[in-house]
């Protein structure tokens, strides 16, 4: 399926940003929309996760902002589009798609993401994803900092309890051991860190459409975003 129908009057590639807390479903939704429209996809969280993993692999001190900034700027990372619609993340020639998804790396990513040197180091790399026929970008500051010009900005939330339960079910389905109270605690602590940092904190852009997905299905969220894009004549 390809629902894309570029607005002819667009002189630059259109952008849909989807920001929100961890586990709100923005990654899944961004992937669905990008693949339905045939647009490019930026999973900006993966860049912070890869930075954290590279720091661990190379023994870079988590208390050394300058070294982490240099690391972020020179990351040897590739995002390869898969036929399934997903993305393979390759760091220094190694497939790290699964390794970067652990709670431990998520928390480390949230820590390195508080550093201006790291955010600056990743800024241009994120901007470079904006290309024809369009871009769907998900993260924490896509609509507030990186793509302020985006035609459609979504702020996707869900209660912390709901997000922890979704994660719990995902891990159980993969046969992995998980405890709901610990997952809830990790989610709340990452929320706090992402929302209270000095630079580019997680918050809705002034012109964002807010969607609370707590009681919505993935398809409901997808349809709501597509309807907003059509309303703005970004797609037909
Ligand atoms: O979306 P995610 O869970 O993969 O993101 C991991 C961490 O990266 C998140 O806790 C905060 C950071 N991040 C960020 O600061 N800015 C972004 N645009 C995306 C992620």
């Amino acid at each position: 399926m390809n629902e894309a129908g570029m607005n002819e009057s667009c002189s630059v590639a259109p952008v849909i940003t989807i920001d929100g807390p961890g586990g709100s479903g923005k990654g899944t939704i961004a992937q669905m929309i990008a693949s339905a429209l045939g647009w490019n996809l930026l999973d900006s969280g993966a860049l912070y996760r890869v930075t954290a993993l590279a720091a661990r692999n190379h023994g870079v001190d988590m208390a050394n902002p300058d070294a982490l900034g240099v690391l972020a700027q020179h990351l040897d990372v590739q995002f390869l589009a898969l036929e399934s619609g997903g993305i393979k993340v390759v760091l220094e020639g190694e497939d790290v798609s699964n390794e970067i998804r652990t709670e431990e790396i998520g928390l480390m990513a949230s820590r390195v993401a508080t550093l201006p040197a790291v955010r600056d180091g990743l800024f241009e790399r994120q901007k470079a994803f904006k290309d024809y026929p369009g871009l769907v970008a998900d993260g924490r500051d896509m609509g507030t900092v990186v793509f302020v010009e985006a035609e459609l900005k979504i702020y996707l939330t869900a209660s912390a309890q709901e997000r922890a339960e979704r994660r719990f079910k995902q891990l159980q389905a993969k046969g992995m051991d998980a405890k709901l109270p610990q997952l809830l605690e990790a989610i709340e602590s990452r929320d706090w860190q992402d929302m209270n940092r000095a630079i580019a904190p997680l918050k809705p852009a002034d012109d964002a459409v807010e969607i609370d997905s707590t009681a919505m299905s993935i398809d409901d969220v997808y349809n709501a975003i597509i309807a907003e894009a059509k309303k703005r004549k970004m797609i037909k």
Side-chain angles (χ1 to χ4, degrees):
M1 176 175 67
N2 187 332
E3 292 191 60
M6 274 286 299
N7 179 355
E8 305 281 312
S9 65
C10 266
S11 57
V12 286
V15 180
I16 299 175
T17 59
I18 308 180
D19 288 308
S24 57
K26 58 192 166 30
T28 307
I29 294 287
Q31 200 171 301
M32 280 170 77
I33 293 176
S35 118
L37 301 181
W39 286 13
N40 300 294
L41 175 66
L42 167 60
D43 170 1
S44 61
L47 279 172
Y48 290 92
R49 286 174 181 266
V50 165
T51 306
L53 180 62
R56 198 181 68 180
N57 289 352
H58 292 293
V60 177
D61 186 354
M62 289 293 284
N64 185 341
D66 292 341
L68 289 166
V70 171
L71 185 77
Q73 201 160 9
H74 298 284
L75 278 180
D76 172 10
V77 64
Q78 286 170 290
F79 292 91
L80 307 174
L82 298 173
E83 293 226 346
S84 61
I87 284 191
K88 180 162 145 184
V89 184
V90 179
L91 172 65
E92 294 160 20
E94 193 192 334
D95 181 355
V96 295
S97 314
N98 291 330
E99 206 178 345
I100 59 167
R101 296 295 161 197
T102 62
E103 297 303 324
E104 185 207 343
I105 292 292
L107 271 170
M108 278 178 78
S110 174
R111 258 181 84 191
V112 300
T114 62
L115 303 171
V118 169
R119 305 203 75 83
D120 289 350
L122 296 177
F123 185 79
E124 288 304 330
R125 205 186 283 256
Q126 295 175 81
K127 294 293 280 184
F129 277 77
K130 180 171 169 175
D131 201 357
Y132 288 102
L135 172 68
V136 183
D138 91 72
R140 303 291 186 288
D141 64 341
M142 297 295 95
T144 50
V145 176
V146 183
F147 301 106
V148 281
E149 74 284 11
E151 288 82 354
L152 173 57
K153 299 178 185 178
I154 302 292
Y155 189 77
L156 187 61
T157 59
S159 70
Q161 182 69 31
E162 172 68 18
R163 288 183 281 134
E165 281 171 21
R166 286 178 192 168
R167 182 84 181 124
F168 182 66
K169 283 184 199 143
Q170 272 171 1
L171 291 172
Q172 270 195 327
K174 285 187 193 164
M176 289 163 81
D177 189 28
K179 304 221 165 21
L180 190 57
Q182 273 95 325
L183 287 175
L184 181 59
E185 199 184 310
I187 278 181
E188 286 177 333
S189 108
R190 199 140 70 90
D191 280 358
W192 194 92
Q193 195 158 256
D194 292 346
M195 289 171 176
N196 291 284
R197 64 183 178 220
I199 305 226
L202 170 63
K203 61 171 184 191
D206 292 340
D207 49 352
V209 177
E210 297 197 32
I211 299 177
D212 181 343
S213 76
T214 307
M216 288 170 85
S217 70
I218 295 269
D219 285 344
D220 289 342
V221 177
Y222 170 86
N223 289 330
I225 297 176
I226 291 291
E228 290 292 339
K230 285 183 177 163
K231 209 155 74 180
R232 287 165 179 72
K233 306 214 179 332
M234 296 174 77
I235 56 173
K236 283 186 191 147

